[in-house]
Amino acid sequence: MNQPERAKEDEQPVISLRGATASLGARPVLRGVDLEVRRGEVVALLGANGSGKSTAVRAIVGQVPLTGGELELFGTPKRRFRDWARIGYVPQRTTAAAGVPATVREVVSAGRLARTKLGFSRRADRDAVVKALELVGMADRLKDSVNALSGGQHQRVLIARALAVEPELLIMDEPMAGVDLASQEVLANALREEVARGTTVLLVLHELGPLEPLIDRAIVLRDGCVVHDGPPPEAVGQHALPGHDHVHPHADPAAEPTRTGLLS
Amino acid sequence: MEILDAAFMQRALLAALLVGITAPAIGIYLVQRHQALMGDGIGHVALTGVGLGFLLNTSPVWVAATVCVVGAVVMELIRSYGKARGDIALAMLFYGGMAGGVMLINLSDNGSNANLVTYLFGSLTTVSEQDITAICILAAFVILATLGLRRQLFAICQDEEFARVTGLPVRLLNLLIAVTAALTVTVAMRVVGLLLVSALMVIPVAASQQIARSFATTLALSVGIGVLVTLSGTTTSYYVDVPPGATIVLMAIGVFVALTLIATPLARSRARQKALDEERCTLAEPGAPGAPDDVRV
């Protein structure tokens, strides 16, 4: 891409969702969502279970069809968008394993297919896989079976797979769900490095946790509508939603926010 | 080797070799996405193709291949679109295919129950010259597809949603898996028989999983086991006069049991090693190579 084209692109939002509606079966899940992510931003999508945050993200990557509204990725309408190597996606998963054993390297290498497509794997592809695993602190587990990993390590592998794409935009659906504190810190550091490199990030979170300092903006969904779009709220998750009466007592204020990631 | 003197045995052994390679090579992807019984379903549908071949007096292999491909594509469409009642639709397809085959074979002039049995359970003497040409062409396609596109097929069977977001032509590759599985069934039909085809797609993979840690090893080992059991089963069947399909499948199960028995102490010693390494971990410098992990049993 030449310089003027790149400059023009910089002004365009990386993700632009306008008036998006979507349903799962007969149930409307998104009811007119406007969402914009600009280049270099780190945006968290928050909300209670069933608020539509996961559906919004899956609609952005084309896994849930929109019944109305418009979606543009890097300034291109979704139906004409083919440049998937610019996007790294971390789906909501509890495991990176499937029905046949596979090593960490094999699973992460799948990310490179965004660039090689039906072609062969080259040196640069193998290097990118190692680099992605180094970033999440799993380079020493390259040859291990994913079946032997802990929950947090599965999540690190899934994130490394998205990083192996070498994306400009990282989209993550609950990357911290079921992740132990040590892995959360590792992932927060990996993300910090990616963001410093200029990667744009959109991530679904149940609570901000150790990622809080990285987040530029938070969008809160409730019942398929945006109810907050601005600086990250003090309290997060359910607590951020208007109308939520914060009545339950906390035994120890120092314990807030709960950072186990197990509440979700 | 007197076994190689008979022309029918040469053909039977070549067919067995090709079955040993192709069935696990496509079966591994079906097992990976928890569709281990798909081959069985295609086998049922193939019977209609065989019956149609008898009725039209043409090569049953080619007609069965065509019918299998149509059946497998329908199964794939049911899998990817119809979430609800998908299993009912599949059951209709499977038993419809089976019943249709039995009916058509009985309607045809040269069809008999004895003929039907050779297709259901395999037979060495019936691999004709015409059959072996078809089997070679189909097997070449299956090998090219499953090994040439293994990285792509691995990705879509490991995590289909992620694969779609990488921009891979996932729908096309899914159809390729279905078509390849269908062709493998017709390749294997003459030697192991339609009712036992699926066993060769699944059992060698299941056996390899007992000791393998990577997909690449599992694939190589499955094909190795596949070739071992099809060749030795076919040879045994020649000398002892037992049905080849059943011999091959029972041998495969034997390999599975043997590897499972080997794997259990292996996994235990690996787990013990790992536990030891983890105790040492606090002292080891960061970046030291990780402990070998235990395998899935």
Side-chain angles (χ1 to χ4, degrees):
Chain A
M1 211 181 298
N2 56 37
Q3 281 306 318
E5 222 179 302
R6 174 71 81 182
K8 200 180 93 192
E9 266 218 336
D10 279 349
E11 297 157 23
Q12 268 168 345
V14 173
I15 301 171
S16 163
L17 198 59
R18 282 186 299 274
T21 56
S23 13
L24 294 178
R27 191 170 66 91
V29 184
L30 301 181
R31 300 185 299 160
V33 169
D34 294 309
L35 180 159
E36 208 177 84
V37 179
R38 288 176 293 275
R39 187 167 286 278
E41 266 190 313
V42 180
V43 176
L45 205 49
L46 306 167
N49 286 334
S51 60
K53 55 192 194 308
S54 230
T55 306
V57 156
R58 297 186 69 226
I60 289 169
V61 294
Q63 299 308 303
V64 171
L66 288 180
T67 49
E70 283 169 58
L71 168 62
E72 286 184 5
L73 296 168
F74 296 96
T76 310
K78 165 69 181 55
R79 78 191 124 72
R80 282 199 282 119
F81 183 79
R82 296 285 177 275
D83 228 354
W84 291 105
R86 302 174 78 174
I87 298 180
Y89 176 51
V90 182
Q92 191 177 351
R93 294 275 181 280
T94 52
T95 172
V100 168
T103 60
V104 168
R105 186 207 294 270
E106 285 171 330
V107 171
V108 175
S109 295
R112 291 306 290 177
L113 292 171
R115 297 195 171 266
T116 63
K117 303 284 180 198
L118 298 178
F120 294 103
S121 159
R122 290 169 208 286
R123 176 87 196 231
D125 298 313
R126 293 190 283 275
D127 291 348
V129 169
V130 175
K131 223 177 78 194
L133 279 166
E134 274 168 1
L135 213 52
V136 298
M138 293 278 290
D140 56 333
R141 306 298 299 267
L142 210 60
K143 291 175 185 163
D144 285 355
S145 170
V146 285
N147 290 318
L149 303 180
S150 69
Q153 288 169 333
H154 274 274
Q155 211 56 253
R156 289 204 233 171
V157 168
L158 294 173
I159 291 169
R161 182 174 68 177
L163 292 177
V165 178
E166 296 180 303
E168 293 167 49
L169 166 64
L170 199 54
I171 296 178
M172 303 195 276
D173 195 350
E174 302 246 14
M176 294 304 196
V179 173
D180 53 282
L181 196 59
S183 283
Q184 287 198 15
E185 298 289 352
V186 172
L187 291 180
N189 283 331
L191 209 57
R192 190 170 295 122
E193 276 187 52
E194 273 302 299
V195 170
R197 238 174 262 173
T199 308
T200 309
V201 181
L202 172 66
L203 73 172
V204 171
L205 286 178
H206 212 77
E207 49 186 11
L208 293 175
L211 295 182
E212 191 167 2
L214 286 169
I215 311 277
D216 298 318
R217 188 154 60 89
I219 296 170
V220 181
L221 291 183
R222 186 177 57 177
D223 291 336
C225 299
V226 174
V227 292
H228 170 92
D229 186 346
E234 291 288 307
V236 293
Q238 296 251 15
H239 307 247
L241 304 178
H244 178 90
D245 292 326
H246 201 92
V247 287
H248 45 231
H250 293 289
D252 176 14
E256 283 288 297
T258 312
R259 285 164 61 148
T260 59
L262 292 170
L263 280 186
S264 45
Chain B
M1 290 283 273
E2 59 141 344
I3 183 173
L4 289 174
D5 291 343
F8 82 90
M9 268 319 284
Q10 291 173 3
R11 288 197 296 271
L13 282 171
L14 178 58
L17 173 71
L18 293 174
V19 174
I21 299 171
T22 52
I26 183 66
I28 192 170
Y29 300 108
L30 301 179
V31 174
Q32 192 185 7
R33 60 154 65 153
H34 305 290
Q35 265 193 307
L37 290 179
M38 182 173 172
D40 199 47
I42 301 174
H44 284 51
V45 175
L47 203 62
T48 292
V50 172
L52 212 56
F54 275 125
L55 205 63
L56 302 175
N57 256 321
T58 51
S59 159
V61 173
W62 285 113
V63 182
T66 313
V67 172
C68 278
V69 166
V70 172
V73 168
V74 171
M75 282 181 224
E76 168 56 26
L77 296 179
I78 291 173
R79 186 190 75 88
S80 59
Y81 292 109
K83 304 276 183 249
R85 305 179 63 85
D87 55 339
I88 303 286
L90 289 179
M92 294 289 191
L93 195 66
F94 293 0
Y95 304 122
M98 196 84 190
V102 173
M103 188 59 85
L104 287 173
I105 288 177
N106 273 290
L107 288 179
S108 64
D109 303 330
N110 52 354
S112 64
N113 281 340
N115 228 331
L116 175 63
V117 167
T118 68
Y119 280 93
L120 287 180
F121 299 107
S123 156
L124 292 185
T125 50
T126 52
V127 183
S128 69
E129 247 167 85
Q130 200 189 5
D131 286 344
I132 200 74
T133 318
I135 288 174
C136 285
I137 295 170
L138 296 176
F141 174 84
V142 172
I143 293 169
L144 273 179
T146 51
L147 300 185
L149 288 172
R150 63 181 184 284
R151 293 172 50 245
Q152 289 76 14
L153 298 181
F154 168 83
I156 64 166
C157 294
Q158 188 76 16
D159 190 338
E160 189 169 329
E161 180 168 325
F162 177 81
R164 280 200 294 262
V165 180
T166 61
L168 278 178
V170 170
R171 198 166 298 170
L172 202 68
L173 290 169
N174 276 331
L175 285 175
L176 180 74
I177 290 181
V179 168
T180 310
L183 296 182
T184 307
V185 167
T186 37
V187 167
M189 170 173 85
R190 299 311 267 129
V191 179
V192 282
L194 289 172
L195 289 186
L196 294 173
V197 163
S198 186
L200 264 190
M201 294 186 173
V202 176
I203 299 171
V205 180
S208 314
Q209 287 191 18
Q210 303 301 316
I211 53 172
R213 273 187 288 170
S214 72
F215 184 82
T217 316
T218 311
L219 178 58
L221 213 55
S222 311
V223 171
I225 295 172
V227 169
L228 177 80
V229 297
T230 49
L231 287 185
S232 47
T234 308
T235 311
T236 309
S237 158
Y238 173 76
Y239 286 112
V240 191
D241 193 27
V242 283
T247 316
I248 291 170
V249 171
L250 288 176
M251 281 180 168
I253 291 176
V255 172
F256 173 82
V257 171
L259 286 183
T260 307
L261 292 178
I262 295 172
T264 313
L266 192 71
R268 247 184 239 141
S269 80
R270 274 179 183 164
R272 209 176 305 129
Q273 186 62 41
K274 187 172 175 240
L276 278 177
D277 283 356
E278 264 164 17
E279 270 173 36
R280 261 183 263 141
C281 249
T282 44
L283 302 170
E285 65 226 286
D293 287 301
D294 61 343
V295 290
R296 244 166 55 128
V297 180

